[in-house]
Amino acid sequence: MIDVLVADDEHPALDELAHLLRRDDRIGEIHTASSGAQALRMLSARAVTIAFLDIHMPGLSGMDLARSLGSLAEPPAVVFVTADDTRAVDAFEVRAADYLLKPVRVDRLRRAVDRVLELGGTTAPSDDEVLSVTVGSSVRFVHRSDVRWVQAQGDYSRLHTADGMGQLVRIPISELEQRWADAGFVRVHRSYLAAVAAIEEARLSGGDPSVAVGSVVLPVSRRLLPAVREALVRGASR
């Protein structure tokens, strides 16, 4: 079981989130704070695994509090819980583990706890690019290291991760190709970009060259065959 802290200056929202967390049998003690300053004092006195922070609190805001947690001996993972859907980029800068929009659904809250536990109670490495994806009424963080292949959709790209979910981001695949080349991604087709480490099978001879990423078979264009071969060789030698 893990201990958590919830900080929100609105008491109904504070009580509701604490109530939802009590429904998760992985949650141990729940500490509550009605201001950023009170939360910082509590976190300085006791370690918790996750700090659920409202962004807009008077005085020391949730974003300010998150920036100050690095000075703690055992900083918690940060999950922002807010009605403001415009601060996801700021959340990346402080390496938040997740970003939940109010009103919080119990299944979405549980996935946030899942994510922190999968990361071992920490955030992702600083060199692992994170993209924000709006899914319904919530914002999800997609880490580059979780992406197995990318599909072009006009000015957008659909990111396919190991969980089978395809999240749409407003970034053209040509830009992702450039940004992620040094991270082990290779353009295999005008419509597809693949993580070399996720390619399980390659058929690069014959009439229909292709690569397999799990159960998904991606076509390889003949123009890109030399680059794909080179990328696979580099990947095999690492």
Side-chain angles (χ1 to χ4, degrees), residues 5-174:
L5 176 136
V6 180
D8 197 314
D9 63 307
E10 298 181 357
H11 287 282
L14 185 69
D15 293 341
E16 175 65 14
L17 187 56
H19 170 70
L20 294 178
L21 286 166
R22 290 189 188 99
R23 297 171 61 179
D24 190 328
D25 56 13
R26 298 168 297 177
I27 303 298
E29 191 169 357
I30 301 173
H31 305 281
T32 60
S34 56
S35 70
Q38 182 185 12
L40 183 58
R41 289 194 297 270
M42 296 176 71
L43 291 171
S44 299
R46 58 176 62 84
V48 300
T49 301
I50 311 174
F52 293 91
L53 308 178
D54 182 31
I55 286 182
H56 297 292
M57 293 185 286
L60 187 68
S61 71
M63 199 65 68
D64 294 333
L65 176 57
R67 292 190 180 100
S68 69
L69 295 182
S71 62
L72 299 180
E74 298 180 66
V78 171
V79 173
F80 286 113
V81 184
T82 179
D84 186 350
D85 64 357
T86 67
R87 302 297 299 276
V89 173
D90 296 327
F92 297 157
E93 294 178 356
V94 296
R95 298 178 60 200
D98 213 335
Y99 190 99
L100 309 183
L101 294 179
K102 298 176 180 178
V104 179
R105 303 192 318 271
V106 65
D107 61 323
R108 183 66 181 87
L109 181 60
R110 190 173 185 89
R111 289 203 301 274
V113 175
D114 288 341
R115 179 156 194 82
V116 172
L117 295 179
E118 288 169 1
L119 295 170
T122 64
T123 53
S126 58
D127 62 348
D128 187 5
E129 184 177 352
V130 184
L131 301 178
S132 64
V133 179
T134 301
V135 183
S137 61
S138 65
V139 176
R140 183 185 180 197
F141 291 172
V142 178
H143 294 260
R144 182 189 61 211
S145 60
D146 292 332
V147 177
R148 294 165 62 82
W149 60 285
V150 181
Q151 180 180 11
Q153 295 195 336
D155 291 333
Y156 292 75
S157 296
R158 189 169 296 278
L159 311 177
H160 294 268
T161 55
D163 60 13
M165 300 182 68
Q167 308 292 353
L168 200 62
V169 294
R170 193 170 185 174
I171 304 174
I173 197 170
S174 57

Side-chain angles (χ1 to χ4, degrees), residues 189-213:
H189 186 275
R190 67 179 181 180
S191 298
Y192 301 106
L193 181 70
V196 174
I199 296 176
E200 300 176 6
E201 183 179 358
R203 298 181 178 180
L204 303 183
S205 59
D208 297 301
S210 63
V211 294
V213 179

Side-chain angles (χ1 to χ4, degrees), residues 170-191:
R170 193 170 185 174
I171 304 174
I173 197 170
S174 57
E175 181 177 335
L176 288 179
E177 177 188 7
Q178 294 177 4
R179 281 161 56 172
W180 291 2
D182 292 338
F185 282 77
V186 61
R187 188 78 171 264
V188 299
H189 186 275
R190 67 179 181 180
S191 298

